[in-house]
Amino acid sequence: MWDSSSDSDRVALIDALNVMDPALGRALDPITELAAFTFDVPIALISIVDADSQRFISRVGLAVEGTDRHASICSWAIGSAQVMQVADLREDPRYAQNPLVVGPEQVRFYAGAPLLTRSGLALGTLCLMGRAPRVLSPLEVQQLQTLARVVMAQMELKMSMGRREQVTGLPNRQQFQADLDLLARRAGDGHFTAVLLDVLDAHSANDAGQALGMKPVEALLRQSSLRVQSVLQDQAQVYHVGVSRFAFFLVDQDRTQVEALLDRLRERMRRPLMAGSVPMLPQFHAGACHFKAVAADTNDLIRKCLVAMQHAVQTDACLCWYSDERDARLRRRYRLASDAARGLAQHQFSLVYQPRFSLHDGMPVAAEALLRWVHPMLGPVSPGEFIPVLERTALMPALSRWVVDHALAQLALWQHALPGFGMSLNLSPRDFDDPGLWEMLSTRLQAHGLPASLLEVEITEGEWLQGHPGAVPQLRAMATAGIRIAIDDFGSGYSNFGYLSEVPISLIKIDRSLVTGLARSRTSRLKVEAIIKLARQLGYRTVAEGVESDAELSLLRLWGCDEAQGYLLARPMTADAATLLVDACRAGSPGEDTA
Ligand code: C2E
Ligand code: MG
Ligand code: MG
């Protein structure tokens, strides 16, 4: 009866364009009323025909809001581009038994003009019904057709609202997604590539916005959008999907073609643009992702392009392709961040302790508390992985408080079993944003009757201190009370003795990357020896982390390093195992000879 291929296209379009939105119907009511009035008919309708039914989104003179598809006369009318009229429905076997004809409405006459999109697809009709047989004159047919075009124009206008970006006038992210949805519903063959690009880095945009106001920045974005459009020309529609982000998709282009196109685009984009009177160098970072025209691919496409584009931003590359592995890593991080609070409540976290030994007499002097997390689905997750993730969340201070609580409770137990045995804790920069940190530490120490001198706080080296103004006063308060401050992972990054004078440091922990394999690397040997000597001259004690061989231990001892920590001496272990080990060492029968 009706063409099912255009049927699925129509249903897709109706969905994508949100034609059933009641606000749209209300906006169309005056046209429906005008139709009833002009043609002097009791019933005028705007009927949208989907797979199984027709909905009257605007109606005059009819109580029902729709009918099922089989009772729809309009279903016949949408099959042609012309007005369909039936002078007397009772005389036509297709409609003689139609409920509108035989039911209380007693409809006899029908004329319907299809509502055609620009691509020629009929969404439904503007139709007239009368209770007496009638034939429209050619002029009336033309008038009805014109009114149907007015309906379509109004619909398109309404539908494009909220789908354009004000600054550039380009279709926005909602339109991008709507067009993708449509593509997926049409389920065409072929392969596609979506590209997302950022033309301004957030810092420059912010600086320019603050200095010049938003107008010049917007002008700059407009110029950028014109450049993108001029390179793409007829190849793709450009969408403005974020403040300085544009997107488009390409059809049947292989990787090399996409890369060549993006090279051309970058060339064009890299020329300076004016923001007010300041010439600015636009950025160019793009993320690209291949996809098929199926919902499973298109639903998540912007996110995938973002993953790829963020990679390009981080590596300062022009273009990065989406990678499943990278995505999986990001999602895993996100999962860790979102599961951590529950993990803490459900006791999935625990502490292990790695003893540290004096290189002067071989005795264990303290243990470093190290966090462990056994995730119920992912299994053990290393703190090297989850700490950097949680440091970006609001949970970090709570987790650190948990560590302080548990570690100090353990230290209190050790003061009975192993008097004088110390403990070191790792604190992250985020912890110093918590103004109550120092107070909490000191309250806990007092509650357990512990001298502050048994506790050591490890902070990583680095410039983070400048970004955390609360840190230095808190560190000073701790040091004044007798807690020792250690710089962890020294030598792993941008090492600098200069900033140490700002912080009351007593100890430097030389990073494992310099210590492990020390005996085989001349550079590491030179660095470690220099660090130990300089630290000693500056009055800092030194601890070498990651000691894995006797050769490393001998060299460290030779250079005058004070303490060592590493798998050679003891691995991180439970509190009970650490107690036994320290006990045995003190009793003169250490598991391993370390001195
Ligand atoms: P870190 O503070 O530098 O801790 C030393 C890390 O080196 C530990 O890794 C330890 O198990 C490992 N290690 C010790 N000796 C050796 C060795 O000989 N060979 C090798 N290959 N590794 C050795 P872990 O426990 O995986 O912790 C990694 C990092 O996570 C820590 O590095 C620390 O930065 C962070 N972390 C652990 N627990 C906490 C915590 O409670 N709070 C905070 N903020 N960070 C923590
Ligand atoms: Mg540490
Ligand atoms: Mg370390």
Side-chain angles (χ1 to χ4, degrees), residues 65-105:
E65 290 179 2
T67 72
D68 80 30
R69 177 87 184 250
H70 294 283
S72 161
I73 305 169
C74 297
S75 282
W76 299 89
I78 58 173
S80 131
Q82 308 301 319
V83 168
M84 176 186 104
Q85 56 173 323
V86 185
D88 190 346
L89 294 161
R90 277 196 208 162
E91 297 298 316
D92 190 320
R94 287 173 299 178
Y95 314 114
Q97 295 309 314
N98 189 288
L100 287 174
V101 178
V102 295
E105 296 297 343

Side-chain angles (χ1 to χ4, degrees), residues 351 354 368-372 382-384 387 391 396 400 403 426-428 431 458 460 488-489 511-512 516 545-548 565-568 570 572:
L351 286 175
Q354 187 177 28
E368 177 174 7
L370 293 164
L371 253 179
R372 294 291 175 260
S382 140
I387 294 282
E391 269 175 343
M396 196 62 215
S400 295
V403 170
N426 293 283
L427 289 182
S428 85
D431 294 325
E458 299 186 11
T460 47
D488 204 355
D489 304 342
D511 191 58
R512 170 153 66 87
T516 313
E545 299 183 302
V547 178
E548 291 190 359
Q565 178 178 342
Y567 289 176
L568 176 74

Side-chain angles (χ1 to χ4, degrees), residues 149-161:
R149 280 207 296 277
V150 174
V151 169
M152 266 326 278
Q154 186 70 17
M155 272 191 180
E156 279 170 4
L157 192 71
K158 202 77 191 144
M159 288 172 318
S160 70
M161 279 167 67

Side-chain angles (χ1 to χ4, degrees), residues 136-342:
L136 293 184
S137 71
L139 182 65
E140 285 175 316
V141 168
Q142 234 174 23
Q143 284 172 336
L144 184 60
Q145 224 149 14
T146 305
L147 267 187
R149 280 207 296 277
V150 174
V151 169
M152 266 326 278
Q154 186 70 17
M155 272 191 180
E156 279 170 4
L157 192 71
K158 202 77 191 144
M159 288 172 318
S160 70
M161 279 167 67
R163 296 278 178 93
R164 294 233 161 224
E165 182 56 54
Q166 298 289 314
V167 174
T168 53
L170 287 175
N172 64 9
R173 193 174 59 76
Q174 280 72 22
Q175 188 64 57
F176 182 69
Q177 193 58 52
D179 289 352
L180 282 174
D181 292 346
L182 198 60
L183 196 70
R185 282 168 182 277
R186 287 186 174 165
D189 289 339
H191 63 276
F192 301 84
T193 312
V195 179
L196 178 67
L197 44 106
D198 206 333
V199 296
L200 261 190
D201 72 292
H203 279 303
S204 332
N206 237 338
D207 286 354
Q210 284 179 52
L212 309 167
M214 281 319 284
K215 279 215 166 114
V217 177
E218 288 177 359
L220 193 139
L221 290 170
R222 265 192 296 278
Q223 294 173 52
S224 303
S225 86
L226 290 175
R227 285 186 177 179
V228 180
Q229 290 177 80
S230 76
V231 174
L232 288 174
Q233 296 200 347
D234 298 333
Q235 254 186 300
Q237 167 71 55
V238 181
Y239 300 80
H240 188 170
V241 295
V243 179
S244 57
R245 291 174 181 174
F246 299 95
F248 55 89
F249 51 85
L250 302 161
V251 187
D252 288 339
Q253 300 255 322
D254 63 28
R255 219 175 155 110
T256 331
Q257 288 169 306
V258 175
E259 284 170 3
L261 174 73
L262 279 158
D263 272 346
R264 283 207 303 285
L265 199 51
R266 187 192 43 182
E267 270 311 298
R268 185 93 179 79
M269 299 304 291
R270 283 257 165 110
R271 293 177 211 157
L273 280 171
M274 298 303 284
S277 54
V278 184
M280 287 188 61
L281 212 51
Q283 294 288 308
F284 187 89
H285 296 298
C289 178
H290 291 307
F291 68 100
K292 292 205 176 72
V294 291
D297 273 19
T298 54
N299 283 346
D300 207 19
L301 196 57
I302 285 233
R303 192 192 62 79
K304 287 181 172 173
C305 286
L306 197 60
V307 168
M309 195 191 78
Q310 221 39 49
H311 190 197
V313 171
Q314 279 162 10
T315 53
D316 200 20
C318 156
L319 167 71
C320 282
W321 287 90
Y322 169 79
S323 113
D324 269 331
E325 296 78 57
R326 187 178 165 76
D327 193 3
R329 268 202 310 278
L330 285 174
R331 286 208 234 192
R332 181 174 155 105
R333 273 192 229 166
Y334 186 79
R335 178 157 188 196
L336 294 178
S338 58
D339 289 355
R342 197 175 333 119

